[in-house]
Amino acid sequence: MTAELVRGQNHPLSQARLEIRVSGGAPIVAAATLGDEQGRIHGVEWVAHPGTPTLPGLEVSRQAAADHRLAVDLDAMPEAVHRVSVLLALPTGVGGPTRFGAVPTPFVAVTGLDGAEVASYTVTGLEAESAVVALELYRRQGAWKVRAIGQGYAGGLADLFTDQGLAQAHQLAGSINEAVAQGVARSIPAPPSRTDGDRSRQAAAPALGPDQSGPAQQGTSGSTAPQPTSPYGTQTPGQATPPPNSPYGTQSPGMPGQSAPQPSYQAGTGPTDPTQPTAPTSGGPIDYSHPRRQNAAPPPPPPTAPPAQPGQPAQPVAGDATGWSMEERLYNQVWGMFEDLARSTAAYRSAVDFAESRMEKELDQVLSDPRSRIGGQGDAAREAAQAKHAQLVNQARATLDRDLAQLTAEAQVVEPALPPAYARWDNPVWHGYRVPMEIPMALRLGELHLPESAELRIPMLVRLPLERGLWIDSGRSGSLDGSFTDSHDLRRLAMETAVANAARLLAVYPAGEFTVHVIDPAGSGSQALAPLVQTGVLAAPPAVGAAGVADVLGRLTQRVDLVQMALRGGAPDSLPPGFDTSQQLLIVNDFPHGFDDRAVNQLRYLADEGPAVGVHLMMVADREEAAGYGPLLDPLWRALLRLTPVADDHLADPWVGHAWTYEPSLVPPGSQVLQQVLTQVAAARAKHW
């Protein structure tokens, strides 16, 4: 039975290996400190945080997230440790809230390895605080207990560490904030999780047996398909996302870029005309909801697959997720597969780590007894420990293999069913391509996979309109194995990756709703840019030289200023006549060549302010070549989502923080699909204008 703690209350702990689950409702940082009998921290090495996530008997998350799982092994704690304090803090410097009073109340639960809650605590009463000691595990007379603390600090982590006696409090708080900022930059942003049901999954058995202790595992059972964030604002749980609207966010009729009104649906009726008022039902309440909002829960996926036989996993079906359309169901299904693979792999790795630590502990016990060193007793104990280790690892691998087989079968039916925006360039769907009439929910930028399942590739889908710019890293650090030593080849591949992504963006937007500009100061990307130039899909020829750089950047920064002033002034109709309301993409090659200080500042401005008003940045650059600017450009690199032209394991998932190997989505050699698609885009643009 769960003990629901209040501030100051304690509860005994009967298990040594525990999991501390944190739910924040918004991205927060989870950390933990080890303290002595007086609660003092002896040094920075006694603090587990995203920059140093692992300490003896303790492991915390590597990045800020709305949900965390901290693994604790009380038996592995050093003898000098008598307290383990769980800390929560709001990340700084990433544009989020700065006080807990502006976010949902954090909830912390101490659970066993089977997920059963031992004690829980809702951290209430926080307002101006930005860091809090949520609870602590403490040792008293050889027994461990948990106590609800709820002590907040308006000064953030620096004040918290100072209060716990850490001399390097401010330096450590700064390093944690820097680690969190780097984690945000490399993390793939996930949409909020659905609460209206989960995807069809075969329940996965735990990777460890009931007598084994280790961080809790989660297989593919019970995962929830993520739900995209609605451009119309906050939605109630279970709502589907209406089709994307304007690049300028929520709009009223008459604002630039607004799409045609969508029909609304009422329970028990068909679509209604949003331009006509809804008559109230006799004797019932008047419906004051906006006619364009869809307030009903999305329909479940249709039962297109035959029911599974007893003892057999369900047959995978494309679109087996909730959503208003097949496109949304596929989007949610892909994100569900992504999360399932992340959590199944985390369970396997946790089980392997536990098996190794258990074997080391048993071997240490054998070697510490002098009697075991005589005769064959020591050898027998060593063989028994190794056999137990192999058994645990094999059991964990069998569970992972079962999950991988199910996910692989699902991927084999999902991949061919993907629409052009989600599909690889070699997918036959591109041969029937037609310029779309609506903006899709998301765009495929490449594929992701993990070392344990290299053959299982997950499409990397990002929401549209883009919320962050893209950085195609043309430096040698972009090569996973260092095989690309020719910088010229790497630059060429980087530019081809940029062109493929730009062509995909042009192809998935309706005619006239996406415009591409190119800055190529030295003309070094002319060969890779040929498909865009020859088909005539660019707004103008690539800008060259310092004068061309200044002209393009000046026009785009002026555009951002105009739209921002119009929106802030509440007068979007005051934009100049003939103002192009389409989304804008600027491709920059060979940065910082051709850029002076003014141009660099304009580029930073576009990266920070542009996405909110429909101006996006795609940089093809080697960070080392811009090292002369020093830390001035650090915010620019962090603001962009880094991609590589070759396989590289630099991206992290938003749930566990695995390092995923990313591979770009490139056109197959010799294929004419890119030319054919861009030709259709150019013809549609000519008719539109």
Side-chain angles (χ1 to χ4, degrees):
M1 185 174 182
T2 304
E4 298 181 2
L5 305 179
V6 297
R7 186 172 182 177
Q9 185 179 0
N10 59 35
H11 185 75
L13 298 174
S14 59
Q15 304 178 51
R17 296 185 68 93
L18 303 165
E19 190 173 76
I20 300 176
R21 302 185 180 185
V22 179
S23 298
I28 56 178
V29 180
T33 61
L34 306 181
D36 57 19
E37 288 183 294
Q38 288 73 39
R40 294 287 182 178
I41 307 174
H42 288 194
V44 295
E45 66 276 5
W46 280 38
V47 182
H49 57 83
T52 308
T54 304
L55 293 179
L58 181 63
E59 183 175 2
V60 303
S61 303
R62 291 169 169 78
Q63 59 193 40
D67 299 295
H68 294 272
R69 295 190 176 191
L70 285 65
V72 179
D73 184 357
L74 299 176
D75 286 344
M77 291 291 170
E79 289 295 329
V81 173
H82 288 263
R83 293 189 189 181
V84 180
S85 299
V86 177
L87 321 177
L88 306 178
L90 294 173
T92 61
V94 295
T98 58
R99 61 186 185 90
F100 274 108
V103 301
T105 302
F107 174 80
V108 185
V110 180
T111 73
L113 299 182
D114 57 357
E117 288 189 5
V118 178
S120 64
Y121 174 46
T122 302
V123 191
T124 58
L126 300 178
E127 286 295 337
E129 296 87 347
S130 59
V132 60
V133 180
L135 52 78
E136 69 176 7
L137 312 180
Y138 65 98
R139 179 158 43 189
R140 181 73 53 82
Q141 297 178 351
W144 285 90
K145 296 182 179 181
V146 57
R147 178 189 289 125
I149 302 296
Q151 177 63 52
Y153 297 84
L157 287 173
D159 283 4
L160 189 155
F161 291 139
T162 300
D163 190 44
Q164 293 193 348
L166 185 62
Q168 308 93 332
H170 289 274
Q171 296 89 329
L172 178 59
S175 64
I176 292 176
N177 292 331
E178 178 64 23
V180 171
Q182 293 177 359
V184 171
R186 65 188 290 265
S187 177
I188 304 170
S193 298
R194 282 190 181 277
T195 58
D196 58 344
D198 55 16
R199 306 186 313 126
S200 298
R201 285 276 186 236
Q202 183 73 12
L208 295 178
D211 63 329
Q212 303 161 18
S213 15
Q217 296 82 32
Q218 178 173 343
T220 56
S221 64
S223 64
T224 302
Q227 178 178 359
T229 303
S230 168
Y232 300 98
T234 304
Q235 292 180 304
T236 57
Q239 276 186 270
T241 302
N245 191 15
S246 165
Y248 308 114
T250 305
Q251 298 182 347
S252 57
M255 294 182 70
Q258 183 177 4
S259 61
Q262 303 294 327
S264 63
Y265 293 85
Q266 299 176 354
T269 67
T272 61
D273 185 356
T275 62
Q276 300 297 329
T278 303
T281 305
S282 176
I286 300 175
D287 182 9
Y288 290 101
S289 63
H290 193 286
R292 294 188 60 214
R293 291 188 185 270
Q294 296 174 331
N295 295 319
T304 55
Q309 298 297 324
Q312 297 295 326
Q315 294 298 317
V317 178
D320 188 13
T322 54
W324 285 104
S325 63
M326 187 62 174
E327 177 192 348
E328 184 178 0
R329 292 198 294 268
L330 287 169
Y331 173 84
N332 290 332
Q333 188 173 15
V334 168
W335 268 99
M337 294 166 58
F338 187 16
E339 181 177 2
D340 285 351
L341 181 55
R343 296 197 184 278
S344 293
T345 304
Y348 169 73
R349 293 180 179 179
S350 177
V352 172
D353 290 342
F354 167 72
E356 292 178 352
S357 63
R358 178 170 178 169
M359 181 178 67
E360 292 175 359
K361 186 176 182 179
E362 292 177 351
L363 291 177
D364 289 341
Q365 292 176 349
V366 171
L367 295 176
S368 63
D369 186 357
R371 293 173 299 178
S372 65
R373 303 173 189 172
I374 303 175
Q377 183 179 357
D379 293 338
R382 186 178 297 106
E383 292 177 358
Q386 293 173 346
K388 185 64 174 178
H389 171 271
Q391 178 186 357
L392 295 177
V393 172
N394 291 338
Q395 181 180 349
R397 185 69 210 192
T399 300
L400 177 64
D401 288 342
R402 186 185 61 226
D403 289 348
L404 293 180
Q406 187 173 349
L407 287 169
T408 300
E410 187 172 11
Q412 290 173 350
V413 299
V414 168
E415 189 70 47
L418 296 177
Y422 304 172
R424 293 194 301 251
W425 283 109
D426 59 357
N427 192 311
V429 71
W430 285 106
H431 296 294
Y433 168 78
R434 295 293 182 270
V435 177
M437 300 297 292
E438 296 181 352
I439 302 173
M441 291 182 61
L443 183 81
R444 184 177 188 145
L445 292 180
E447 298 177 345
L448 301 167
H449 63 89
L450 291 171
E452 290 84 354
S453 53
E455 300 302 321
L456 178 56
R457 307 300 176 94
I458 303 296
M460 178 181 168
L461 303 181
V462 297
R463 285 300 305 271
L464 292 179
L466 295 174
E467 298 177 354
R468 297 170 62 185
L470 304 177
W471 165 30
I472 314 298
D473 189 355
S474 61
R476 295 185 182 181
S477 59
S479 177
L480 179 63
D481 56 3
S483 58
F484 277 83
T485 57
D486 190 337
S487 60
H488 177 75
D489 287 345
L490 206 54
R491 292 174 187 272
R492 175 182 54 80
L493 283 173
M495 200 60 199
E496 290 178 357
T497 302
V499 169
N501 287 330
R504 186 181 288 268
L505 282 163
L506 283 166
V508 302
Y509 271 82
E513 293 193 20
F514 199 86
T515 304
V516 178
H517 311 265
V518 177
I519 290 179
D520 188 19
S524 59
S526 57
Q527 181 178 355
L529 289 168
L532 300 178
V533 175
Q534 293 173 0
T535 54
V537 295
L538 296 178
V544 296
V549 171
D551 177 62
V552 174
L553 291 177
R555 285 188 286 110
L556 290 178
T557 52
Q558 183 182 31
R559 173 191 176 88
V560 172
D561 291 338
L562 285 173
V563 176
Q564 282 186 338
M565 287 189 293
L567 293 178
R568 290 171 181 171
D573 294 333
S574 63
L575 291 170
F579 186 84
D580 182 12
T581 60
S582 66
Q583 297 275 312
Q584 309 285 312
L585 175 68
L586 172 61
I587 303 176
V588 178
N589 186 34
D590 274 352
F591 176 81
H593 300 297
F595 283 74
D596 55 19
D597 291 344
R598 175 181 173 82
V600 169
N601 288 331
Q602 288 177 320
L603 197 66
R604 287 186 55 187
Y605 178 69
L606 292 179
D608 293 337
E609 305 293 336
V613 292
V615 178
H616 310 284
L617 190 61
M618 183 186 295
M619 291 185 58
V620 182
D622 180 359
R623 185 170 182 172
E624 293 299 323
E625 294 185 355
Y629 288 94
L632 176 67
L633 291 181
D634 286 349
L636 173 65
W637 305 119
R638 285 199 294 261
L640 304 175
L641 178 60
R642 176 175 173 254
L643 303 177
T644 53
V646 293
D648 187 69
D649 59 349
H650 65 283
L651 292 176
D653 64 81
W655 305 284
V656 184
H658 292 314
W660 291 73
T661 299
Y662 164 82
E663 293 188 14
S665 180
L666 297 175
V667 180
S671 174
Q672 297 298 315
V673 63
L674 187 66
Q675 194 79 14
Q676 296 169 2
V677 169
L678 290 178
T679 299
Q680 290 195 44
V681 171
R685 284 171 56 89
K687 293 180 181 179
H688 176 79
W689 297 113

